[in-house]
Amino acid sequence: MKRARWLATVTALALGVVLPALAQACPMCFAGSERSRIAIFKMTIVMSLLPLGMLGTGVLWLRRGGRSFLGDEFEDRDAYTPPAMESPESDQHRSA
Amino acid sequence: MSAARIIDLRVHGSPRHRRFAESALIGMALVVFTEVMMFAGFVSAFVIVQSNAPARGWPPPGQPRLPIERTAVNTAALLLSGVALWVAGRKFAGSAPRAAEPWMAASLALGGFFVVFQGAEWVALLRQGLTLTSSQLGSFFYLIVGTHALHAFAAILALAWAWYAMRTGRLTRPRLGAVQMFWFFVVLIWPVLYWKVYL
């Protein structure tokens, strides 16, 4: 039983890999001249990388700008020194 | 408006808040991002259609050749306009902001020259038979170059506003930065369009 399931899974996976190649579902990718296919491939790369490049540039700008912007954010807090605590002895003197 | 107030506005923008980046710049960056993708889509479609044409079939038979040489001159004018605006931005950020005015005017004039020259070219091409429906070249040419011309026109209006605001002392650095960003987009995308559509 186990072996039958395993075989069925492997067969399904193999068909899943092989069949789309036979179907050639994308008419733009497989039809037309070699020149046309190269143009589609190049434009696919451009249209994929262009937004990623712009977003990457934006993220780098935010990181760089954010560091300098937040660099002095906690300066006031770090420079603050709390007032000295009064000792319990001085309280006893005061009550006496 | 006092000189101190002008410098305060010029350097700090709105004095109320400390900001990571000005809203005008972030908004314009988002606009430019979407516009770049729109032009990339247009150019991508044009390149694929052009690649489907038969050998020696571009431009399509009966259609005029695009004026490469004259448009090269126009391209140079647009690039110079970008340089002039860049210099104007540097002067405005420096110690003598008034020195930016002539550079701004030069940028505006060169941008205006580009749009007018482009219009004259279109009239000539229409007379030669290249229309929006005459061929795929005509459709894509007027779509891509026309959309760019619309952006150039809008950017010229923004430049004219910025120049006027500069003259009256109401221009802030973030606002000039936003106008610069839009104009630089119009200037820098044009060589790509020229390369893909004309050459």
Side-chain angles (χ1 to χ4, degrees):
Chain A
M1 189 64 184
K2 264 188 175 179
R3 192 176 173 182
R5 272 190 192 170
W6 185 81
L7 266 175
T9 310
V10 170
T11 311
L13 280 173
L15 286 172
V17 170
V18 172
L19 283 182
L22 292 174
Q24 296 187 344
C26 171
M28 293 300 283
C29 302
F30 296 100
S33 62
E34 182 70 18
R35 200 167 132 237
S36 166
R37 270 180 279 164
I38 291 170
I40 290 166
F41 182 65
K42 280 182 180 172
M43 286 304 116
T44 306
I45 291 172
V46 169
M47 292 296 286
S48 305
L49 294 185
L50 191 60
L52 292 176
M54 286 195 289
L55 284 173
T57 308
V59 168
L60 279 178
W61 175 72
L62 281 175
R63 273 192 65 178
R64 186 179 291 180
R67 272 181 193 160
S68 61
F69 183 73
L70 296 173
D72 61 346
E73 183 71 11
F74 300 110
E75 256 181 14
D76 292 344
R77 187 198 65 182
D78 294 342
Y80 174 74
T81 44
M85 295 274 285
E86 289 182 5
S87 64
E89 288 170 8
S90 62
D91 286 347
Q92 285 172 0
H93 282 296
R94 204 177 289 162
S95 59
Chain B
M1 187 178 281
S2 70
R5 173 74 177 149
I6 289 172
I7 288 171
D8 182 58
L9 276 175
R10 191 165 53 85
V11 173
H12 303 294
S14 169
R16 282 180 300 161
H17 305 292
R18 180 182 180 234
R19 293 176 181 165
F20 170 65
E22 290 297 329
S23 310
L25 293 176
I26 292 175
M28 189 54 76
L30 289 173
V31 168
V32 168
F33 180 91
T34 53
E35 302 285 310
V36 166
M37 287 316 296
M38 183 181 73
F39 277 102
F42 286 162
V43 169
S44 173
F46 175 74
V47 167
I48 290 168
V49 164
Q50 194 182 25
S51 71
N52 278 321
R56 293 171 186 260
W58 200 265
Q63 291 292 284
R65 185 176 151 273
L66 296 176
I68 295 170
E69 297 82 9
R70 274 179 288 159
T71 309
V73 175
N74 215 12
T75 303
L78 190 63
L79 291 174
L80 279 175
S81 164
V83 172
L85 187 61
W86 181 74
V87 174
R90 303 270 298 180
K91 299 269 182 196
F92 189 71
S95 55
R98 295 278 179 202
E101 282 176 25
W103 289 99
M104 197 85 173
S107 178
L108 194 55
L110 285 163
F113 171 81
F114 173 82
V115 172
V116 171
F117 197 92
Q118 199 79 336
E121 255 185 11
W122 279 25
V123 171
L125 285 169
L126 284 167
R127 282 188 184 144
Q128 290 171 34
L130 186 76
T131 66
L132 200 61
T133 53
S134 64
S135 64
Q136 284 182 323
L137 171 63
S139 304
F140 273 109
F141 176 78
Y142 290 111
L143 175 70
I144 296 173
V145 180
T147 307
H148 181 265
L150 269 178
H151 282 80
F153 183 70
I156 284 171
L157 289 182
L159 268 181
W161 169 83
W163 184 58
Y164 178 74
M166 189 184 273
R167 283 178 67 85
T168 52
R170 288 184 294 117
L171 187 66
T172 60
R173 252 162 74 174
R175 286 177 180 174
L176 177 64
V179 172
Q180 272 184 313
M181 196 185 287
F182 192 48
W183 188 249
F184 289 152
F185 155 70
V186 168
V187 169
L188 293 177
I189 205 155
W190 176 251
V192 179
L193 301 181
Y194 176 68
W195 169 45
K196 284 291 169 193
V197 176
Y198 283 78
L199 301 182

